[in-house]
Amino acid sequence: MPRFANDVFRPADGPEVSVAQGRRGFIQALGLAGLGAAILGGSATTAAAQAAPSDLDIANFALNFEYLGAEFYLRASVGRGLTDAEVSGSGTLGPVSGGRQITFATQYIANFANELARDERAHVNSLRATITNVLGGTPIARPAIDLAFAFTLAARSAGLIGPNDTFDPYANENNFLQAAFIFEDVCVTALAGAAPLIRNKTFLANASGFLATESYQAGAIRTFLYSRNLLQQASLISGARDAVDGPQADDQGIGDNATINITPTDVDGLVFARTPQQVLRVAYLNANGTPTGFFPNGTNGTIR
């Protein structure tokens, strides 16, 4: 059975990837390939297992992206971001550049933006509480976030605009939906990639809830884009993500005039997973993982 990749069919005759292989890929991407046996139930030493990324490392890595989503949606919806109390923590507290309230032409899109803002703010506070009360650690501070020129860089690299043009995600609701599409699919695949390594059951349950929420959000954004005939734009954004996150062709657009692709899954009906390095390449807007793009100074925490 064929499957979509960037709005074209391709045969599903490649090698199957098991859950264990997914875990191994996550570990290898962190430069911890030698620890794979310990995580996968092999014979590596206990000391090696303890060197693998901890639940706290994973939670704080995710918090970087919850900050990013919350700051974007809050500014787009109500014109202001998170409070000082919601962004303090370990590491360097960074500023947020750009962002402003959008004048939405359609009430249900305005309502949707407000819902996204509420959800992402709740994710920030819930994840910070999990880090403190469940994992016994300290949440990272919000890193420096670019919500202005980073969107222009992303749009240029995708071919949405010319090399000297500017993309303003706050100019209208169609631009807002395209900007949101950059984020949400990445959040879903990042959480899918992290889930196999989480050991604490309470944290795993919370992460599963985050994944479900992000999936609902991503599906809604993909539906709105399709209903507004923004098929080519979605395909270009998908292709740009695929170009920087590695040689594999996993990312998917939203379909074409004949076929809709709201749920981007493989032949088993599963969402693919990204490693932390793949996620960072998309957020940094380059294939070599150099901090730039939406995190101009890089993310905070141990996974960078």
Side-chain angles (χ1 to χ4, degrees):
M1 178 179 177
R3 61 180 172 178
F4 275 108
N6 299 325
D7 288 341
V8 297
F9 282 109
R10 64 186 174 97
D13 54 2
E16 294 297 321
V17 178
S18 67
V19 172
Q21 287 173 315
R23 294 181 183 180
R24 186 175 295 112
F26 190 102
I27 295 165
Q28 289 172 338
L30 290 173
L32 301 169
L35 309 181
I39 298 299
L40 301 173
S43 59
T45 65
T46 300
Q50 291 173 345
S54 68
D55 287 353
L56 181 59
D57 295 333
I58 295 168
N60 269 322
F61 180 70
L63 184 55
N64 287 283
F65 293 87
E66 297 298 347
Y67 284 140
L68 175 62
E71 296 289 8
F72 173 60
Y73 292 130
L74 281 166
R75 282 166 168 75
S77 177
V78 298
R80 58 185 182 275
L82 296 166
T83 66
D84 291 345
E86 293 172 305
V87 300
S88 62
S90 62
T92 302
L93 175 63
V96 178
S97 60
R100 69 179 188 276
Q101 189 170 12
I102 297 173
T103 301
F104 290 97
T106 310
Q107 188 60 49
Y108 71 82
I109 298 295
N111 294 345
F112 178 55
N114 189 262
E115 180 182 30
L116 289 170
R118 294 195 309 269
D119 287 345
E120 294 306 311
R121 167 171 253 155
H123 280 183
V124 166
N125 288 301
S126 175
L127 189 51
R128 285 172 61 90
T130 296
I131 289 169
T132 301
N133 301 327
V134 176
L135 303 180
T138 301
I140 57 160
R142 180 195 62 208
I145 292 174
D146 183 353
L147 296 177
F149 191 61
F151 285 109
T152 290
L153 290 176
R156 287 176 181 175
S157 66
L160 291 174
I161 58 175
N164 298 314
D165 295 330
T166 300
F167 181 83
D168 182 1
Y170 314 101
N172 55 66
E173 56 196 28
N174 280 355
N175 281 14
F176 165 75
L177 290 170
Q178 292 172 71
F181 182 54
I182 296 173
F183 293 145
E184 289 303 327
D185 277 26
V186 179
C187 290
V188 172
T189 56
L191 287 165
L197 281 183
I198 296 174
R199 303 169 182 83
N200 182 285
K201 290 185 178 180
T202 300
F203 176 34
L204 180 59
N206 291 346
S208 298
F210 292 158
L211 175 56
T213 303
E214 300 290 350
S215 297
Y216 275 124
Q217 293 172 346
I221 291 166
R222 295 171 75 93
T223 301
F224 289 141
L225 289 169
Y226 194 91
S227 69
R228 290 166 177 253
N229 199 34
L230 297 170
L231 310 181
Q232 182 181 12
Q233 291 88 338
S235 180
L236 289 171
I237 293 170
S238 172
R241 290 190 302 234
D242 235 351
V244 297
D245 73 357
Q248 68 290 330
D250 291 320
D251 209 297
Q252 301 176 26
I254 59 176
D256 53 35
N257 290 325
T259 309
I260 194 169
N261 188 41
I262 297 302
T263 54
T265 60
D266 62 16
V267 291
D268 296 317
L270 303 175
V271 171
F272 77 96
R274 280 187 169 97
T275 66
Q277 270 61 27
Q278 290 174 311
V279 173
L280 288 174
R281 287 170 192 157
V282 177
Y284 292 162
L285 302 176
N286 65 73
N288 59 16
T290 302
T292 182
F294 294 103
F295 295 110
N297 298 330
T299 56
N300 279 336
T302 59
I303 302 176
R304 306 187 73 243

